[in-house]
Amino acid sequence: PSKKVKGASPSGAEHTGAHKSQGRPRSGMSSGPATTEKTTFRMRRLSMTENQQETNSGAGTPAKAARVRRMSMSPEMGASKKPTEMLPFPLDRVGTYSCHGVEPGNRQGETNAKINQDRGCVVYPFGPETTEYQQALFCVFDGHGACGDKVSHFAMSRLHAELEEKLKGLEELNSRGDRANDDVEIEKFLKSSFVTVDSALQNDQAVDAELSGTTAVVCLCRRFAATPNSVTLYVANAGDSRAVLGIRQGAKAVSEDLSNDQKPDTPAEMRRIKKAGGYVSPAEEEWGGPARVWLDSSQTLPGLAMARSIGDHLVKPCGVIAEPEVTKKVVTTDDAFMVMASDGVWEFLDSQSVVDLVDKYLWCESGTPATEACTKLIEQAAHCWREEEGDYRDDITAICVRFRDLFAQQC
């Protein structure tokens, strides 16, 4: 990615009129120093681990072992670890963390912690209970704007529940074992779930999402009992968070993008925005700023640096949509892994660099390699921000998934 000079606004999910909460100001704009006390910040921050346990057996069902559903948020780096029995997957197979950003402090060389607007979550088991397959859901959200943390949290809380209900309906229709239309239906459900959550957000008076929004990259991972050595990945993406596949070929892992960053100047995205009456300003070559979406050519508002998102309702009439692009990939489990991350990772690291780094740690036979890989990835991303931007760092969230034995004996 192009290098950005110090003082420029971070690439990706950001408005010029409503920056990432307490984020670094754009060059030429003033912003007062953060005055939030440390204790207050910790109370307000919403990036600590959460967990839900649900029993899917209802009254009157035959007596059998109840399936425990676990939904876990990506914990803040440095937070106390939750007991492994409360996690959806063991730490050696799935590692995830979120790291709040920093901004300039009151004194030279001083930095203050930002409110973390990223969210990540892992849900397993996911969807209907069946003997034919197992499913898990992995999600990363990157909020932006004054209410970005609330928008990303809203999307995280609603999207998995919305999709799960739709998949349960599909399973009822497929009870006879005919899955010829599964791919089409799953793509449709992923798209409609994003749109439904966006509509619910617009109708929710508690969250102002006119000038705030979030990216969303979501992976539905399914393993069929009949083909235990492969998994099917359905990836839905809106915005510039990203999912990347790593496939080992001999001694090296090769990257393959599972999603595409939806920038305003991507030809297809720009055509839609212009057709709807929006205006796209080109990327700033001098200071590395991204292309942006505006209401008009006067660049009044809002300067959104992506073409799709949940929220950002001011520019929804201008061609910015919540509907994601959906891809499907079938991979063998023995030699493949996945990395999902917010643009705090991708700003200065390309897909192959990330796959190379994660691959170094992921295959250890002892310890918690997936979690170690995730830790090293976030540390490297933070180092890149420090080298390039000094006293500013975007929020960073990542999920590393090793598919080998993913659905074997659980926590």
Side-chain angles (χ1 to χ4, degrees):
S2 60
K3 181 176 178 180
K4 298 183 356 178
V5 300
K6 185 174 179 180
S9 61
S11 169
E14 184 177 295
H15 298 113
T16 58
H19 299 287
K20 287 194 175 184
S21 180
Q22 297 186 10
R24 186 189 187 111
R26 281 174 55 95
S27 178
M29 296 184 65
S30 62
S31 176
T35 58
T36 307
E37 294 183 1
K38 191 174 183 180
T39 54
T40 305
F41 167 76
R42 286 179 176 171
M43 290 173 64
R44 291 178 59 197
R45 190 168 61 201
L46 300 175
S47 56
M48 301 301 289
T49 306
E50 287 185 353
N51 179 267
Q52 297 176 350
Q53 290 189 353
E54 299 175 3
T55 302
N56 291 339
S57 60
T61 56
K64 66 175 183 178
R67 188 177 75 151
V68 178
R69 178 184 183 275
R70 300 185 178 99
M71 190 283 255
S72 182
M73 273 182 65
S74 303
E76 183 76 24
M77 289 275 284
S80 58
K81 296 181 180 179
K82 67 163 61 175
T84 55
E85 64 270 14
M86 295 177 65
L87 297 171
F89 290 102
L91 296 172
D92 61 326
R93 298 168 213 168
V94 176
T96 181
Y97 280 117
S98 187
C99 179
H100 65 77
V102 296
E103 61 187 356
N106 296 334
R107 298 182 179 87
Q108 181 69 29
E110 182 181 72
T111 59
N112 291 329
K114 293 166 65 267
I115 293 175
N116 195 339
Q117 297 187 306
D118 280 6
R119 296 292 184 273
C121 71
V122 178
V123 188
Y124 176 80
F126 183 76
E129 192 167 1
T130 173
T131 58
E132 288 189 64
Y133 58 79
Q134 293 174 282
Q135 289 185 147
L137 192 73
F138 305 95
C139 311
V140 170
F141 306 89
D142 180 358
H144 53 268
C147 299
D149 57 328
K150 296 180 177 63
V151 175
S152 61
H153 199 87
F154 183 98
M156 180 195 68
S157 302
R158 296 292 188 92
L159 189 55
H160 69 87
E162 181 70 29
L163 179 60
E164 189 164 41
E165 282 303 309
K166 295 180 185 298
L167 291 175
K168 287 179 180 177
L170 176 62
E171 187 58 32
E172 292 173 3
L173 293 175
N174 289 341
S175 57
R176 299 175 183 176
D178 180 12
R179 301 200 171 277
N181 295 321
D182 265 18
D183 290 349
V184 173
E185 292 299 310
I186 289 173
E187 178 177 351
K188 181 176 73 175
F189 290 158
L190 281 164
K191 289 181 176 180
S192 62
S193 294
F194 275 56
V195 174
T196 298
V197 169
D198 183 65
S199 297
L201 175 64
Q202 191 166 22
N203 294 325
D204 193 312
Q205 299 300 312
V207 183
D208 183 356
E210 282 296 291
L211 284 166
S212 297
T214 185
T215 71
V217 60
V218 172
C219 177
L220 175 66
C221 177
R222 175 183 283 189
R223 188 196 73 162
F224 286 97
T227 54
N229 295 323
S230 67
V231 290
T232 303
L233 309 175
Y234 301 91
V235 176
N237 181 57
D240 58 2
S241 295
R242 192 184 306 170
V244 173
L245 184 68
I247 303 176
R248 288 185 65 85
Q249 296 181 359
K252 182 178 176 58
V254 177
S255 69
E256 179 181 338
D257 287 349
L258 295 169
S259 64
N260 296 310
D261 299 352
Q262 292 142 358
K263 304 293 187 182
D265 55 354
T266 302
E269 304 292 325
M270 186 160 61
R271 282 195 298 270
R272 184 187 67 248
I273 292 167
K274 287 186 174 181
K275 184 177 180 180
Y279 176 77
V280 176
S281 62
E284 293 280 353
E285 294 185 7
E286 184 177 350
W287 55 274
R292 295 181 182 275
V293 181
W294 308 85
L295 291 176
D296 51 49
S297 58
S298 299
Q299 300 185 13
T300 310
L301 279 172
L304 183 66
M306 64 192 66
R308 304 189 190 207
S309 68
I310 294 173
D312 300 306
H313 295 132
L314 184 67
V315 285
K316 282 299 190 285
C318 298
V320 174
I321 60 176
E323 182 178 288
E325 292 181 311
V326 180
T327 63
K328 175 194 172 187
K329 180 75 175 180
V330 179
V331 298
T332 56
T333 57
D334 287 342
D335 55 3
F337 59 92
M338 179 178 65
V339 180
M340 301 172 67
S342 63
D343 74 338
V345 166
W346 309 113
E347 183 62 45
F348 300 113
L349 294 171
D350 61 26
S351 297
Q352 187 59 54
S353 297
V354 168
V355 164
D356 288 342
L357 190 155
V358 171
D359 184 58
K360 291 179 182 179
Y361 301 95
L362 199 61
W363 307 103
C364 298
E365 297 298 330
S366 60
T368 54
T371 299
E372 179 73 5
C374 185
T375 301
K376 297 296 185 182
L377 174 59
I378 291 178
E379 289 175 349
Q380 180 61 33
H383 172 76
C384 291
W385 277 97
R386 191 161 52 249
E387 290 288 310
E388 298 288 343
E389 296 289 336
D391 52 6
Y392 180 85
R393 182 183 74 227
D394 199 3
D395 305 324
I396 305 170
T397 298
I399 302 174
C400 297
V401 182
R402 190 183 74 185
F403 292 122
R404 187 177 69 190
D405 299 328
L406 179 63
F407 293 104
Q409 182 179 357
Q410 299 302 313
C411 299

